[in-house]
Amino acid sequence: MLTDRLSSKKIIDELLDGGVEKGAITNFYGPAGSGKTNLALIFTLACVKESKVAFIDTEGNFSTERFFQLGGQEEDLKNILYNHLSNFKEQTKIVQKLKNTDVKLIVIDSIVSLYRLEIDKDNYTEINKELAKQLSSLSTIAREKKIPIIITNQVYSVNSDEIELSGRDIMKYWSKCLIELKKVDDNRRLAILRKHRSLPEGEKIEFEITKDGIEKAKFRIF
Ligand SMILES: Nc1ncnc2c1ncn2[C@@H]1O[C@H](COP(=O)(O)OP(=O)(O)OP(=O)(O)O)[C@@H](O)[C@H]1O
Ligand SMILES: [Mg+2]
């Protein structure tokens, strides 16, 4: 196993050659229900048994019930520095605070929901600058502390078969690894590697979201 990765010990590691990279920002993006929060929780669990994790929740999506289903224990919660944010300014503040923590993983689920609430035609430039500043700081934190940072990212439709990340070029620039998640059907999800520093783009895996985690999708006869 590569030591520069945080392994989830789940199927998603196969796409990432062992797990999410330490020292970089990994971005899981996709529509509602595509599995972003599940993956964020799975990597949180992979870290929390031994080390502290900062979990920044911008939508109130952290479910202790789901955390326990995935294998988390009551005592693991003590290792989670949980922050529920309600506006974009708070997000800027928490990113600054993260410079001084000793966590071994930072999760922001999602990085753009408060940004999307805040942005309008008058403050567009300023809010985009703020987002870029947050990501620049996160990137420095990841590199200096040699820890993985996982962010999740909503998308919007460009046309009937094309989606775009909220935060677009800013998100694409600062995320060293981009994984697109697609819903295939009720349980089945597709994860596609869209950007990686050391792996070929376009690699895919299919997985199912199950009661206790994610599993390789079962073979299907069409
Ligand atoms: N116990 C479970 N068994 C099977 N599937 C589950 C279970 N718990 C959650 N799921 C599935 O996980 C999916 C939701 O995944 P998740 O919350 O990770 O999506 P998301 O991409 O974060 O969505 P959003 O953008 O709304 O936050 C739903 O399809 C739900 O049915
Ligand atoms: Mg979610």
Side-chain angles (χ1 to χ4, degrees):
M1 199 199 307
L2 292 167
T3 54
D4 61 350
R5 303 276 206 276
L6 168 66
S7 159
S8 67
K9 301 190 180 68
K10 304 268 184 200
I11 174 80
I12 193 70
D13 286 359
E14 286 183 22
L15 187 72
L16 302 170
D17 195 22
V20 286
E21 255 191 294
K22 294 177 186 169
I25 299 174
T26 295
N27 183 329
F28 291 103
Y29 69 96
S34 58
K36 301 183 293 294
T37 300
N38 269 282
L39 288 166
L41 287 173
I42 283 166
F43 279 102
T44 297
L45 261 160
C47 191
V48 84
K49 301 273 173 196
E50 278 145 35
S51 319
K52 285 193 189 129
V53 177
F55 196 104
I56 317 301
D57 186 358
T58 62
E59 297 181 305
N61 267 341
F62 185 95
S63 151
T64 42
E65 191 180 339
R66 187 66 183 135
F67 182 77
F68 294 144
Q69 282 179 359
L70 296 171
Q73 312 274 316
E74 193 74 43
E75 72 217 38
D76 298 330
L77 293 174
K78 288 190 203 121
N79 261 350
I80 299 183
L81 307 181
Y82 177 80
N83 278 278
H84 182 204
L85 310 183
S86 48
N87 63 60
F88 195 57
K89 280 218 163 56
E90 278 181 16
Q91 190 165 305
T92 300
K93 276 194 205 144
I94 200 91
V95 167
Q96 293 311 310
K97 273 197 193 156
L98 287 170
K99 288 179 180 166
N100 305 315
T101 59
D102 59 349
V103 299
K104 292 285 183 270
L105 169 68
I106 295 170
V107 176
I108 305 184
D109 182 28
S110 118
I111 186 89
V112 287
S113 47
L114 301 170
Y115 159 86
R116 296 207 310 182
L117 284 178
E118 192 90 8
I119 201 160
D120 60 32
K121 61 176 180 11
D122 299 321
N123 65 14
Y124 187 85
T125 311
E126 186 196 327
I127 296 297
N128 272 319
K129 240 189 222 166
E130 197 66 40
L131 182 67
K133 236 169 77 186
Q134 287 181 12
L135 282 152
S136 164
S137 298
L138 287 169
S139 173
T140 306
I141 293 169
R143 208 175 47 249
E144 286 180 353
K145 295 185 187 289
K146 297 185 180 62
I147 60 167
I149 296 188
I150 295 175
I151 58 179
T152 68
N153 205 142
Q154 280 105 339
V155 295
Y156 60 92
S157 294
V158 179
N159 57 45
S160 59
D161 50 19
E162 224 186 310
I163 54 118
E164 182 56 87
L165 284 93
S166 293
R168 289 179 49 169
D169 298 348
I170 300 170
M171 302 312 305
K172 288 182 197 162
Y173 177 78
W174 289 104
S175 306
K176 293 301 165 215
C177 175
L178 281 166
I179 300 132
E180 181 179 357
L181 300 170
K182 286 184 172 181
K183 268 176 105 164
V184 181
D185 60 31
D186 279 352
N187 333 67
R188 206 171 271 250
R189 304 288 183 273
L190 187 62
I192 310 165
L193 199 59
R194 293 295 187 200
K195 176 180 170 184
H196 199 283
R197 295 195 286 193
S198 58
L199 293 169
E201 287 154 25
E203 293 284 313
K204 298 173 187 174
I205 53 149
E206 271 202 12
F207 66 90
E208 285 177 16
I209 302 178
T210 62
K211 187 170 187 306
D212 51 10
I214 55 165
E215 277 171 23
K216 192 169 188 156
K218 288 176 205 79
F219 180 72
R220 254 191 329 187
I221 301 168
F222 291 93

